[in-house]
Amino acid sequence: SLLGRLCAMTGASSYRGAWEKSVGESTSWIPGSSCDIITFFAILTFSVVLGDTFSALFKTFGMSVSREVALIGLTLTVLLPLCLMKNLSSLAPFSLAGIIGMLYTAAAMAIRYFDGSYASAESGLAMDVAESLR
């Protein structure tokens, strides 16, 4: 909403245009580049998590799949088709499922916290962590 108010005040229709009118033309490349850099690192982080998670899931089922192969397969079979969708309304039920999953996870963590599972280094969960990390 701050960016919208700034665009309304300057009469600009973009972040770059608002920057040009309020700061100057010579540095108007900064907002766009910042957004690109942030997006790049967010995607990189997301890719690392997906690659590690799915390669571990495949190992659970006895399949030895590298992080790279898991990520490429997931990208081509799931992420690319989702990115090419023109209308995202069909994803609405999955958004609700994601919210329910997050609430379930938060509840499970709260239960584990309040029952003392995370309380000491000798607890069951802490014993699963490497000795050097405790």
Side-chain angles (χ1 to χ4, degrees):
S1 82
L2 178 62
L3 183 56
R5 287 195 305 258
L6 179 62
C7 286
M9 288 170 44
T10 60
S13 61
S14 68
Y15 195 3
R16 182 179 186 141
W19 186 281
E20 283 178 1
K21 292 181 181 186
S22 60
V23 178
E25 251 183 81
S26 64
T27 58
S28 64
W29 58 271
I30 293 174
S33 298
S34 298
C35 290
D36 290 343
I37 291 168
I38 289 169
T39 302
F40 172 78
F41 282 107
I43 291 170
L44 180 64
T45 304
F46 183 64
S47 297
V48 168
V49 170
L50 281 177
D52 288 344
T53 301
F54 277 87
S55 65
L57 282 174
F58 284 126
K59 285 179 187 168
T60 302
F61 294 109
M63 300 166 38
S64 179
V65 176
S66 71
R67 174 172 57 180
E68 293 80 12
V69 171
L71 184 59
I72 290 169
L74 187 65
T75 300
L76 293 176
T77 60
V78 178
L79 299 178
L80 182 62
L82 285 174
C83 290
L84 297 176
M85 291 177 68
K86 299 280 186 207
N87 183 358
L88 300 179
S89 63
S90 60
L91 298 178
F94 299 102
S95 177
L96 179 62
I99 292 170
I100 291 170
M102 289 174 62
L103 292 173
Y104 173 80
T105 302
M109 290 175 67
I111 290 169
R112 298 295 299 253
Y113 175 78
F114 290 115
D115 75 1
S117 295
Y118 303 134
S120 70
E122 289 78 31
S123 70
L125 292 174
M127 297 311 290
D128 290 337
V129 177
E131 183 74 33
S132 63
L133 297 175
R134 286 188 221 157

